[in-house]
């Protein structure tokens, strides 16, 4: 397992037990075993650095279950969930598919085009600075934002993603919302400052971020393209009230999860 020991150092640090006993199995060892078995059973994908960032939150949630009976089977459950999720995102980790219609390059290109439609001024500024989506969106999209926020916030985002009928569309909208939240700073920044803002995203209320993403999806954001604005103006008042209630509900859920995670 030496070939996966190095990439899982971050997982080792974050998920290790505090007990110094050779008879006690560490959490990072369980995560390592899951990745090892996955790589053996999926030779076409194998292990690629970054997969540990995908399995980490899944295993954490299952291993932290208050019901000991459920937590006992965290490893098997985590592998099952990881396998299911990887069946949807594995193309992001296969280098030979990078430039295909289903690869990560295509996904980043779609995201960049969506930014142009949503906010042409910001798109032009980033493009003029020669900041490619590969510099920041690669990690956002391929790892489902798992490296951009604290673990409780990642769990909140994933809860929204996994409950969405089109989770990858929502993922792109969350990424767009992240850009729009930093719009003023980005528009006034040079290359290095922009890159720093994008690669080291600040802490933010992810409940509001998710609400913002839903506004983008529903065409309720003011800087969207003219066609989106027309769609927005055509929505009736009932839909607007429903959207506001949905935003409040998501924000409340986010705060609840944060509070629960601290206990």
């Amino acid at each position: 397992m030496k070939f996966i020991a190095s990439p899982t150092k971050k997982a080792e640090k974050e998920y290790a037990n505090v007990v110094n006993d050779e008879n006690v199995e560490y959490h990072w060892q369980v995560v390592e075993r899951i990745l090892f078995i996955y790589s053996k059973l999926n030779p076409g994908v194998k292990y690629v650095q970054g997969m540990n960032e995908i399995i980490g939150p899944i295993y954490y949630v299952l291993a932290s279950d208050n019901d000991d009976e459920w937590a006992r089977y965290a490893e098997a459950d985590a592998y099952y969930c990881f396998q299911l999720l990887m069946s949807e995102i594995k193309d992001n980790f296969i280098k030979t598919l990078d430039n295909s219609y289903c690869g990560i390059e295509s996904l980043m290109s779609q995201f960049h085009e969506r930014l142009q439609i949503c906010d042409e001024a910001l798109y032009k500024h980033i493009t003029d600075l020669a900041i490619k989506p590969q510099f920041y969106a690669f990690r956002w999209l391929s790892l489902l934002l798992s490296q951009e926020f604290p673990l409780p916030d990642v769990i909140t985002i994933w809860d929204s993603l996994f409950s969405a009928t089109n989770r990858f569309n929502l993922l792109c909208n969350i990424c767009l919302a992240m850009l729009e939240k930093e719009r003023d700073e980005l528009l006034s920044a040079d290359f290095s400052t922009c890159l720093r803002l994008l690669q080291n995203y600040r802490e933010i209320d992810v409940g509001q971020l998710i609400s913002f993403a839903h506004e983008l999806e529903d065409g309720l954001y003011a800087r969207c393209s003219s066609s989106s604005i027309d769609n927005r103006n055509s929505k009736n008042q009932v839909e607007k009230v429903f959207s506001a209630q949905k935003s409040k509900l998501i924000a409340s859920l986010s705060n609840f999860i944060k509070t629960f995670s601290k206990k």
Side-chain angles (χ1 to χ4, degrees):
M1 284 192 287
K2 289 183 179 179
F3 74 102
I4 66 172
S6 179
T8 56
K9 283 183 178 178
K10 184 174 182 180
E12 175 181 345
K13 180 180 179 181
E14 291 187 357
Y15 303 106
N17 291 317
V18 296
V19 180
N20 187 18
D21 187 343
E22 61 180 11
N23 295 319
V24 175
E25 188 171 51
Y26 290 86
H27 288 307
W28 69 265
Q29 291 175 307
V30 178
V31 171
E32 187 177 57
R33 184 162 57 242
I34 291 173
L35 293 172
F36 176 76
I37 294 173
Y38 177 83
S39 69
K40 287 297 185 182
L41 294 180
N42 297 271
V45 185
K46 298 183 179 180
Y47 173 82
V48 179
Q49 187 168 0
M51 288 182 181
N52 55 304
E53 302 294 344
I54 300 296
I55 184 59
I58 296 174
Y59 176 72
Y60 172 82
V61 169
L62 295 171
S64 302
D65 198 297
N66 291 327
D67 189 328
D68 292 338
E69 185 67 21
W70 285 64
R72 181 185 305 175
Y73 301 102
E75 180 176 356
D77 291 342
Y79 178 83
Y80 177 76
C81 293
F82 178 69
Q83 177 84 23
L84 286 179
L85 180 56
M86 286 301 299
S87 69
E88 297 187 24
I89 66 173
K90 64 182 179 182
D91 291 348
N92 295 339
F93 296 91
I94 301 177
K95 188 174 180 59
T96 55
L97 295 179
D98 281 355
N99 296 315
S100 69
Y101 74 94
C102 59
I104 187 63
E105 292 287 345
S106 176
L107 186 59
M108 287 189 293
S109 178
Q110 293 174 31
F111 167 73
H112 211 44
E113 291 173 1
R114 190 174 297 188
L115 172 61
Q116 183 179 17
I117 295 172
C118 176
D119 192 336
E120 190 169 356
L122 182 57
Y123 168 85
K124 185 177 185 304
H125 179 68
I126 291 177
T127 303
D128 289 345
L129 291 177
I131 297 178
K132 300 179 180 180
Q134 289 87 341
F135 297 167
Y136 64 97
F138 175 84
R139 192 173 69 187
W140 292 6
L141 296 170
S142 63
L143 300 182
L144 310 182
L145 298 172
S146 60
Q147 285 192 321
E148 312 311 316
F149 301 100
L151 185 57
D153 290 343
V154 172
I155 293 172
T156 302
I157 292 173
W158 282 22
D159 189 56
S160 295
L161 289 178
F162 297 157
S163 62
T165 53
N166 191 340
R167 63 185 56 127
F168 298 108
N169 186 60
L170 179 58
L171 174 62
C172 283
N173 284 329
I174 292 175
C175 293
L176 286 175
M178 291 169 64
L179 290 175
E180 290 300 315
K181 285 291 187 180
E182 297 294 320
R183 185 178 194 271
D184 293 339
E185 289 78 2
L186 290 170
L187 286 175
S188 61
D190 57 12
F191 176 87
S192 59
T193 304
C194 274
L195 208 56
R196 177 177 55 80
L197 289 170
L198 295 172
Q199 292 183 343
N200 299 279
Y201 201 80
R202 65 182 176 89
E203 287 194 22
I204 192 172
D205 186 332
V206 294
Q208 293 182 2
L209 199 64
I210 295 169
S211 298
F212 198 172
H214 283 293
E215 290 180 9
L216 288 169
E217 187 171 8
D218 296 337
L220 297 175
Y221 182 54
R223 292 195 185 93
C224 290
S225 64
S226 57
S227 60
S228 296
I229 293 174
D230 291 339
N231 290 334
R232 183 192 71 228
N233 292 333
S234 67
K235 291 181 178 291
N236 58 39
Q237 190 64 27
V238 174
E239 289 176 312
K240 291 182 179 180
V241 171
F242 175 76
S243 178
Q245 291 175 340
K246 180 172 65 175
S247 298
K248 291 180 180 179
L249 178 61
I250 293 173
S252 298
L253 179 60
S254 172
N255 292 331
F256 171 78
I257 292 177
K258 283 184 177 180
T259 303
F260 180 78
S261 300
K262 292 177 180 178
K263 292 183 178 180

